[in-house]
Amino acid sequence: MNTKLYTVIYVVLFVSATVQVLVEFAGLAYWTAFALIIVLSAMKAVLVAAYFQHLRWEPRSLTYLIGIGLAAALALTFAASYSIL
Amino acid sequence: MTDSAPGSGGRDDPAHRPDGGQQADASTAAGELTVPARKSDYEEAASEFPSMGSIRRWFVTTNHKDVGILYIVTSLFFLVLGGVLAWLLRIQLWAPRTPTTTVLEPLAYNQAVSAHGLIMVFWFLSPFAFGFANYVVPLQIGAKDLAFPRLNALSYWLYLFSGILFGVSFFQGGTFAGGWTMYAPLNVPTFTPDVGASTAVLALTLFVASVTVSSVNFLTSMHTMRAEGLTLRKLPLFTWSILLTVWMMLFAFAALLAALIILSSDRLLGTTYFALESPAGSMLWAHLFWFFGHPEVYIVFFPALGVMAEVFQTFTGRRIVGRKWFIAAMVLVALQSFVVWMHHMFLTTINLQIKTLFMITPIGISLPFDLMVFALIYTMLKGKIRFTTPFLFVFGALLLFIIGGITGVFLGAIVLDYEFRGTYWVVAHFHYVMVGGVTALVGGLYYWFPKMTGRMYDEFLGKLHFGVYFVGFNLLYFPLFVAWETPRRVFDYSAGLQVWHQLATVGAFVLGLSFLIMFYNLTKSALSGDPVGDNPWEYATTAEWAVPSPPPLENFPGLPTYRDGSLGFREESTATDGGVATAEAATPSAAHHDEREEHVSHASFWPFVVGAGTFLLFLGLSGLRDASFPEGILGSAYLGTAALGGVVTLGSLVFMGLEPFHGPALADGEAWPFDGLEYGKVGMWIFLASDVVLFGGFIGAYVFTRVAFGWTLWEPIPENPVPGLVNTYLLLTSSFTVVLALVAAEKRNRPGLVASLVATFLLGVGFLGNKAIEWNHLFHEGLWLSSNVRASTFFLTTGLHAAHVIVGLVVTLYLAARAWRGAYLEDSSSVEYFGLYWHFVDIVWLFLFPLFYIL
Amino acid sequence: MSTTTTDVGLDVLAQTGLIPRGTRAFVFERIFEVFLALGTAVGVVVIGYMLYNAYKYRAGGGRGSDADRPVLGELPTGSGGGRKLFTSFFLSTVVVISLVSWTYGTLLFVEEGPEAEDAMEVRVEGYQFGWRFVYPNGHTEDGTLYVPRNESVRLVVTSDDVFHNFGVPELRVKTDAIPGQETETWFRAEETGNYSAQCYELCGAGHSFMTATVVVMEPEEYEAWYESTEGNESETGNASTTAGATAESDLGGALVEVAG
Ligand SMILES: [Cu+2]
């Protein structure tokens, strides 16, 4: 693990944050822009977790642990929102 | 750099934690790791530690067995309190009451109903079970103590002080009167204006903090400190039940924490999530509460199930039939418990598809219980059953649970549920289940009493207790099924049902008074009962019965191992691995601990002080309404109390961090699925998983409210995303500098480390400064927390995130100061764990930014 | 869920009379009876079996050899007996699943409710601490719901303030009254008379006394009453939206005055 790799990751994150805002101003349809923006956020989150929190090199159990928490939160969010549609 | 070898984790840095050092002994736990090689160490440890008879002992102890006893005694106190409230309710229900014939005024009745529920569910049931968990689990897994002993003591003190705070709420104009389910919008000051109602909510929040600390501690311990050969599937069933309970707690209580923080904010700061004008505030509360509330049912019941299994095995003299299926059933229930919550909401506006789904999942969850019940019943076959007091209680518990289970199936049929909703059918059903669980736990108390005290209880009085208890129980709760048409929390019921309510009231007194027999028996026996040896119960198998009663401070005569298929003890010195040498020289503070301090510590005064500090802080905050304290001397008193509490909390956390404390050594036994990871790292990730659910709850609340409002009609609060984008840049950069700090620490580059940490600090300050400017700007445009629900979600969610940033900055400052003096170069794990937290805060922002600024 | 095959299946079941249909009260009683009978039977069998074996295998009862008893310190294992366990489990699964799926047909019936043209609609507004009923012509009644016998009544229920729950136990109708939300339910009364409605969700000091009366009248009588409400509606109808504070006649309201 070296500084160079981390620097590359950092630059990618920085750029994609900028792109995210540009998408908003690109005049796309709302839900297209929505999907793009959320995907960009998710991608950045995965990069930070995989490299900065070095989950890539840890036992997979830690990833699953966070995944379970995330699944619980998403279940709550989606099922609750869907129930009132 | 990431894959540190087990045992090499020398971290003594207290404040690398998100919670400002709450988990400080994570560091010392595995930090100045020393394995006492000789038994004399352990006696020495004991000699420096105040004796059981000394009052001081109980304020400073961090030993899991002491903490277990504290939990049990305290929870029994709350049982009495909740029981007295129940008596008041039953007296009121002796006859249907008109407004002029009430015993308790209507509002007082509502307070008693609410407080009874809250106290029994939160301050009695779970803590009672966790008393046993504290005492027994480390023994059953072959550990000397939990991974973070001081955090364990802290959990207890937070629990006790949260209970006292709840008690105080009665004297602040009246406690919360909206039922234990706290439905919105009755739970906001518009409808429950008493200060005491806010205090009750804060008390519950403090209780949840205790649970969270405890969950992280138990999970880390149970996953990483098991004796050699004790794989997960070989764990005793009581320990299994606790393991699953704690997993459910970790996630369910995080959701409750989100709900309670939002509710506190509505009550104290004036946000409008649950207010009448919020688009679906009532529904939001119901979702958040029941998402927690259903797993909570199993959280309180599972330990009872574990006790039942242990006691059945011991007193039938037979191993549990279908043991692995029993475990599988528990795992299934634990998983499914998170997808059944909406069956509490069948009469709300949820749609038919959801109703169908949430009719199926609870049935799916009820079936594994059938299997467990049958497994226990079949275990009796070919047994040699001895009807001792513990067995009578768990046998009775199983019988009650069968009745509770069958009446629960009625609620699974939605058409019936529609009519049972809000009636005594529900009341009777869940009392059969929950108090059925209590019955098993009382059996557990008799079962482990000789282990805890070294003396035997009086068997005749025990059996008498069971007889009176069982009669009282059924006399109290069975008539409620017959009188099921009574609406819940109503005292003006139809006159035809009066006889059943009178029977129930008589039963309530019989049941309550039966505990006097137990209190007398146990008190007398603890002082003068017949002394017992290691194992008074024939056919007991678990490790706690293989050590003296009560067990010595560090539990075992050597290192427990199951390598040969059954429990044995090894010389401890053979357990050390290469890691120890590294660890001993780990940090400057470790270096000046001299040899005689090498044994494991058992005493710290700071957890108590932290508990007291948070008590004052929360008590002071309870005076807030719409973000300001009342005028005059009362307001100043609240403000002063809050300020004092804040200072005491922060100060004691720092002292706790700086205190030299040796936790138990890193074990080399079973650690699946976290093999090769240190306690500190495992603990941090487990904590972060719960934080994911906390933020998930907040984001879920935002999404839900926005959907109810009309997703695309909702305009983001900040008109301009650029300040948010700048903050994204700042946080991303600070994540990068934290990574650089770790690289520098590993290269033993002190200036690089200090510079990176200082850069992180400055970037974080920049983030907060930028946010302050933005908020100030919005404020001057007339937008604040209470303006509307859009503003509420914006300020509170990003505010919670900002609070995480502030905690991170305090830690960064601490790390930078220590690094300046040369710390972390030998062992960089503190920096690493702080980094995990900081990157997590960064990730959260990566989602908050688009959700609140651009979408 | 609602594929044609299941629909057809449900229709067939309904025609054979297996799935009860009729008034809410009829449907409830039928299902409740079956559950009660089966539940009692299962409970008696299981608890009886449990007690019998507890007695049979008591220590000193002379049964069971001492071979292969659990030993202190052993790694836990299970006993045999898996087949019996699974048979019982399978049976309980069949009972529970068939019971609940049987009631699902009824749920669909209840959820569907009466056809819109066949039913009259009344809006129910809960407030601390009483019930207000708003008729299609705008007429508002406080505390009493008048309905004709043998006609399906559709209720649209909401709340002015906190979470309430509107229920008429004898007619087996109940639904949440949630501020800002509208829930729907229906009922049909077959006998004239007075029924009491009650709040089923804790809502504050007057919760115990948050009642209303449902008066079931002969259809002609009802028509006459309904006609008589026409004309004087323009003010009352408008006032109904803001009538939260005008609940002085209500017992609950009076009570709060006393208790507060
Ligand atoms: Cu009400």
Side-chain angles (χ1 to χ4, degrees):
Chain A
M1 269 135 270
N2 52 49
T3 319
K4 199 184 283 173
L5 174 66
Y6 290 134
T7 313
V8 171
I9 300 289
Y10 170 63
V11 170
V12 172
L13 289 169
F14 200 94
V15 170
S16 62
T18 316
V19 172
Q20 203 172 28
V21 174
L22 294 179
V23 168
E24 171 65 8
F25 293 112
L28 298 170
Y30 180 83
W31 292 108
T32 316
F34 179 93
L36 265 174
I37 286 168
I38 292 295
V39 166
L40 278 170
S41 274
M43 196 198 79
K44 281 183 289 181
V46 168
L47 279 182
V48 174
Y51 291 92
F52 286 3
Q53 293 182 309
H54 23 83
L55 275 178
R56 256 198 79 174
W57 298 281
E58 299 281 14
R60 208 46 72 226
S61 54
L62 292 180
T63 312
Y64 297 146
L65 169 64
I66 297 297
I68 292 169
L70 198 59
L74 290 175
L76 172 62
T77 307
F78 287 119
S81 301
Y82 176 71
S83 77
I84 55 162
L85 282 179
Chain B
M1 61 169 245
T2 53
D3 42 349
S4 0
S8 68
R11 313 170 294 289
D12 77 328
D13 184 61
H16 67 275
R17 288 295 178 158
D19 40 6
Q22 275 190 356
Q23 301 182 14
D25 39 10
S27 42
T28 37
E32 297 96 1
L33 160 83
T34 25
V35 181
R38 296 157 286 121
K39 277 205 191 115
S40 58
D41 279 346
Y42 149 131
E43 276 142 25
E44 198 181 324
S47 68
E48 286 174 11
F49 190 54
S51 75
M52 295 275 244
S54 144
I55 297 287
R56 196 175 149 257
R57 156 100 163 216
W58 300 99
F59 282 93
V60 301
T61 186
T62 61
N63 186 272
H64 71 97
K65 295 181 291 296
D66 293 352
V67 174
I69 288 171
L70 286 170
Y71 263 106
I72 291 171
V73 171
T74 311
S75 67
L76 287 173
F77 171 78
F78 284 109
L79 169 69
V80 172
L81 187 59
V84 168
L85 289 167
W87 279 354
L88 292 177
L89 303 177
R90 288 311 322 172
I91 290 170
Q92 178 96 333
L93 291 167
W94 181 256
R97 307 287 180 178
T98 64
T100 50
T101 59
T102 55
V103 178
L104 295 176
E105 302 246 302
L107 212 51
Y109 183 83
N110 290 354
Q111 288 182 34
V113 160
S114 314
H116 165 71
L118 290 167
I119 288 174
M120 288 302 202
V121 170
F122 293 104
W123 280 283
F124 165 58
L125 252 167
S126 271
F128 188 42
F130 268 75
F132 301 128
N134 264 287
Y135 203 100
V136 175
V137 164
L139 286 160
Q140 290 197 342
I141 65 175
K144 283 182 179 167
D145 207 323
L146 291 175
F148 313 118
R150 285 189 301 179
L151 287 193
N152 196 28
L154 179 62
S155 298
Y156 169 73
W157 292 112
L158 291 176
Y159 156 58
L160 176 68
F161 279 111
S162 72
I164 296 175
L165 190 61
F166 190 85
V168 170
S169 73
F170 282 93
F171 303 99
Q172 291 172 295
T175 189
F176 187 74
W180 88 277
T181 47
M182 299 182 280
Y183 270 19
L186 186 59
N187 58 6
V188 299
T190 320
F191 300 105
T192 41
D194 288 327
V195 173
S198 300
T199 310
V201 171
L202 288 171
L204 197 51
T205 312
L206 194 56
F207 177 83
V208 176
S210 155
V211 169
T212 305
V213 173
S214 176
S215 309
V216 171
N217 201 352
F218 267 89
L219 287 173
T220 306
S221 309
M222 295 175 80
H223 276 292
T224 58
M225 299 175 79
R226 281 170 284 132
E228 189 186 10
L230 208 53
T231 57
L232 275 191
R233 63 171 66 197
K234 294 293 179 196
L235 285 179
L237 283 174
F238 177 68
T239 292
W240 250 112
S241 73
I242 295 297
L243 180 66
L244 291 168
T245 303
V246 188
W247 273 115
M248 286 188 284
M249 278 177 148
L250 184 76
F251 296 116
F253 274 86
L256 179 64
L257 186 58
L260 289 172
I261 293 175
I262 296 174
L263 178 57
S264 302
S265 156
D266 270 18
R267 291 198 66 94
L268 307 180
L269 305 177
T271 50
T272 62
Y273 277 83
F274 301 128
L276 189 51
E277 38 317 344
S278 174
S282 293
M283 295 292 286
L284 173 63
W285 175 266
H287 280 293
L288 287 173
F289 182 82
W290 287 117
F291 185 77
F292 148 79
H294 203 86
E296 171 68 2
V297 173
Y298 306 115
I299 287 169
V300 298
F301 194 74
F302 263 34
L305 211 53
V307 171
M308 278 153 90
E310 295 285 308
V311 175
F312 257 77
Q313 168 155 309
T314 298
F315 293 102
T316 60
R318 275 199 87 216
R319 299 176 187 91
I320 299 294
V321 168
R323 183 180 183 276
K324 67 181 170 201
W325 298 109
F326 196 98
I327 296 171
M330 285 201 291
V331 174
L332 263 177
V333 170
L335 286 173
Q336 289 185 78
S337 70
F338 287 91
V339 288
V340 295
W341 79 93
M342 277 189 254
H343 78 255
H344 296 269
M345 303 165 63
F346 279 149
L347 285 179
T348 64
T349 46
I350 60 175
N351 57 39
L352 181 61
Q353 293 89 316
I354 285 278
K355 278 182 190 168
T356 307
L357 180 65
F358 282 84
M359 179 187 80
I360 295 168
T361 50
I363 296 166
I365 212 168
S366 76
L367 296 176
F369 277 110
D370 295 356
L371 187 133
M372 290 188 253
V373 167
F374 288 126
L376 289 177
I377 292 178
Y378 290 136
T379 297
M380 295 192 301
L381 270 59
K382 302 201 191 99
K384 209 174 142 187
I385 305 170
R386 288 149 297 143
F387 290 89
T388 56
T389 307
F391 185 76
L392 285 172
F393 270 96
V394 298
F395 187 77
L398 182 60
L399 202 153
L400 301 172
F401 181 62
I402 291 170
I403 298 175
I406 290 173
T407 54
V409 174
F410 284 59
L411 296 168
I414 302 187
V415 184
L416 297 185
D417 181 90
Y418 279 172
E419 306 313 323
F420 289 139
R421 155 91 165 93
T423 68
Y424 267 61
W425 186 277
V426 177
V427 175
H429 158 69
F430 75 68
H431 279 89
Y432 260 88
V433 173
M434 292 221 187
V435 189
V438 173
T439 312
L441 294 174
V442 171
L445 183 57
Y446 282 106
Y447 181 57
W448 282 302
F449 178 83
K451 179 53 58 186
M452 294 173 178
T453 60
R455 292 177 186 276
M456 188 49 96
Y457 60 83
D458 184 299
E459 189 66 53
F460 170 73
L461 288 177
K463 285 182 171 140
L464 180 68
H465 176 207
F466 172 73
V468 179
Y469 177 101
F470 198 72
V471 168
F473 183 108
N474 288 294
L475 196 56
L476 167 55
Y477 299 119
F478 201 81
L480 302 186
F481 280 121
V482 186
W484 74 266
E485 295 262 24
T486 316
R488 237 178 128 176
R489 296 145 169 174
V490 155
F491 46 79
D492 181 24
Y493 54 84
S494 91
L497 303 172
Q498 187 176 358
V499 60
W500 304 110
H501 280 289
Q502 292 187 337
L503 278 179
T505 302
V506 172
F509 280 90
V510 175
L511 179 67
L513 293 174
S514 79
F515 279 96
L516 289 184
I517 306 172
M518 182 182 93
F519 290 137
Y520 170 76
N521 184 358
L522 297 189
T523 312
K524 184 165 172 289
S525 305
L527 300 171
S528 61
D530 295 335
V532 293
D534 294 3
N535 180 15
W537 309 126
E538 199 182 0
Y539 308 136
T541 62
T542 43
E544 73 269 27
W545 304 109
V547 292
S549 307
L553 212 49
E554 282 163 25
N555 293 348
F556 300 108
L559 199 65
T561 171
Y562 290 83
R563 186 170 41 186
D564 308 320
S566 66
L567 177 64
F569 297 101
R570 285 197 278 148
E571 276 293 306
E572 304 232 8
S573 50
T574 60
T576 58
D577 57 42
V580 176
T582 352
E584 276 185 350
T587 58
S589 73
H592 62 242
H593 292 154
D594 49 52
E595 294 294 304
R596 67 186 162 74
E597 279 191 331
E598 277 182 8
H599 54 71
V600 179
S601 314
H602 296 285
S604 171
F605 191 52
W606 298 113
F608 168 75
V609 185
V610 176
T614 53
F615 170 78
L616 292 174
L617 175 63
F618 278 51
L619 181 60
L621 291 178
S622 72
L624 276 173
R625 176 71 44 89
D626 285 329
S628 58
F629 287 102
E631 297 286 316
I633 187 141
L634 186 65
S636 316
Y638 276 122
L639 178 62
T641 310
L644 177 67
V647 170
V648 171
T649 307
L650 197 67
S652 52
L653 282 171
V654 170
F655 281 114
M656 185 162 131
L658 294 172
E659 171 186 59
F661 188 92
H662 304 249
L666 194 64
D668 64 346
E670 308 295 331
W672 189 87
F674 301 119
D675 302 273
L677 296 172
E678 300 137 34
Y679 301 157
K681 187 181 276 185
V682 174
M684 174 57 93
W685 275 111
I686 291 173
F687 169 75
L688 290 180
S690 85
D691 226 17
V692 166
V693 177
L694 174 68
F695 273 109
F698 269 79
I699 293 174
Y702 161 78
V703 170
F704 180 82
T705 308
R706 186 165 173 175
V707 167
F709 185 90
W711 183 274
T712 45
L713 303 174
W714 177 290
E715 293 286 321
I717 282 291
E719 285 161 11
N720 183 354
V722 171
L725 181 63
V726 171
N727 265 353
T728 309
Y729 291 150
L730 287 171
L731 265 198
L732 284 173
T733 312
S734 74
S735 257
F736 183 55
T737 56
V738 167
V739 171
L740 293 182
L742 184 56
V743 172
E746 287 181 347
K747 291 184 179 153
R748 306 197 173 201
N749 171 358
R750 191 174 73 128
L753 173 61
V754 173
S756 307
L757 287 171
V758 168
T760 307
F761 181 77
L762 294 176
L763 287 161
V765 169
F767 176 91
L768 290 175
N770 189 18
K771 184 172 283 291
I773 294 167
E774 179 196 56
W775 283 20
N776 188 42
H777 179 71
L778 289 169
F779 183 70
H780 283 289
E781 285 183 358
L783 273 176
W784 196 233
L785 281 160
S786 49
S787 304
N788 54 46
V789 76
R790 281 188 308 131
S792 293
T793 55
F794 171 76
F795 284 110
L796 193 62
T797 313
T798 57
L800 178 75
H801 177 264
H804 274 70
V805 171
I806 292 170
V807 170
L809 289 185
V810 172
V811 179
T812 314
L813 208 56
Y814 183 93
L815 290 176
R818 298 284 317 274
W820 179 255
R821 299 205 319 242
Y824 315 124
L825 300 178
E826 300 294 332
D827 169 48
S828 57
S829 41
S830 295
V831 179
E832 186 191 348
Y833 302 156
F834 167 69
L836 296 178
Y837 170 76
W838 190 256
H839 300 310
F840 170 74
V841 174
D842 187 8
I843 290 175
V844 171
W845 182 256
L846 291 178
F847 289 98
L848 295 190
F849 170 57
L851 283 175
F852 285 95
Y853 285 81
I854 48 184
L855 286 175
Chain C
M1 206 68 256
S2 54
T3 62
T4 29
T5 39
T6 54
D7 278 351
V8 170
L10 289 171
D11 282 347
V12 171
L13 278 173
Q15 278 152 20
T16 58
L18 273 175
I19 292 181
R21 294 192 169 186
T23 63
R24 299 285 300 266
F26 172 78
V27 162
F28 174 82
E29 298 306 335
R30 202 40 39 90
I31 295 182
F32 186 44
E33 279 161 16
V34 171
F35 269 66
L36 212 51
L38 263 170
T40 311
V42 169
V44 167
V45 168
V46 173
I47 291 174
Y49 183 76
M50 186 179 145
L51 291 171
Y52 166 72
N53 281 298
Y55 176 77
K56 182 174 171 191
Y57 294 104
R58 69 193 184 281
R63 285 173 193 274
S65 71
D66 257 348
D68 199 31
R69 296 284 172 204
V71 183
L72 182 61
E74 71 179 18
L75 274 175
T77 51
S79 286
R83 177 173 306 196
K84 208 179 243 167
L85 182 62
F86 276 95
T87 313
S88 324
F89 175 62
F90 179 73
L91 280 177
S92 75
T93 308
V94 169
V95 171
V96 170
I97 291 186
S98 40
L99 267 182
V100 175
S101 1
W102 170 61
T103 66
Y104 185 70
T106 314
L107 173 70
L108 294 179
F109 167 69
V110 169
E111 286 286 315
E112 196 181 292
E115 298 288 329
E117 58 267 29
D118 299 344
M120 58 174 279
E121 186 175 294
V122 183
R123 186 177 162 84
V124 182
E125 295 168 355
Y127 58 88
Q128 286 178 325
F129 297 95
W131 300 100
R132 199 182 307 117
F133 304 97
V134 185
Y135 287 81
N137 66 4
H139 175 70
T140 302
E141 276 291 326
D142 206 340
T144 313
L145 171 64
Y146 296 99
V147 295
R149 187 172 68 86
N150 258 340
E151 189 171 332
S152 296
V153 182
R154 185 175 276 284
L155 300 176
V156 177
V157 184
T158 186
S159 163
D160 284 355
D161 39 51
V162 302
F163 201 126
H164 302 276
N165 178 298
F166 179 77
V168 190
E170 287 163 282
L171 300 173
R172 301 294 176 215
V173 56
K174 191 182 280 173
T175 193
D176 286 333
I178 311 171
Q181 309 274 313
E182 288 183 346
T183 57
E184 286 187 16
T185 189
W186 66 276
F187 69 95
R188 201 175 77 222
E190 290 184 318
E191 315 233 343
T192 56
N194 289 3
Y195 300 84
S196 64
Q198 166 79 45
C199 178
Y200 282 85
E201 181 59 55
L202 182 61
C203 57
H207 171 56
S208 285
F209 308 109
M210 183 167 164
T211 53
T213 309
V214 180
V215 179
V216 180
M217 314 159 105
E218 289 298 344
E220 316 80 67
E221 205 185 331
Y222 173 79
E223 283 309 321
W225 171 81
Y226 191 63
E227 296 290 308
S228 76
T229 64
E230 297 281 353
N232 55 1
E233 289 330 313
S234 45
E235 327 115 52
T236 4
N238 290 342
S240 75
T241 45
T242 51
T246 64
E248 64 288 316
S249 66
D250 176 69
L251 179 57
L255 163 86
V256 178
E257 305 286 308
V258 178

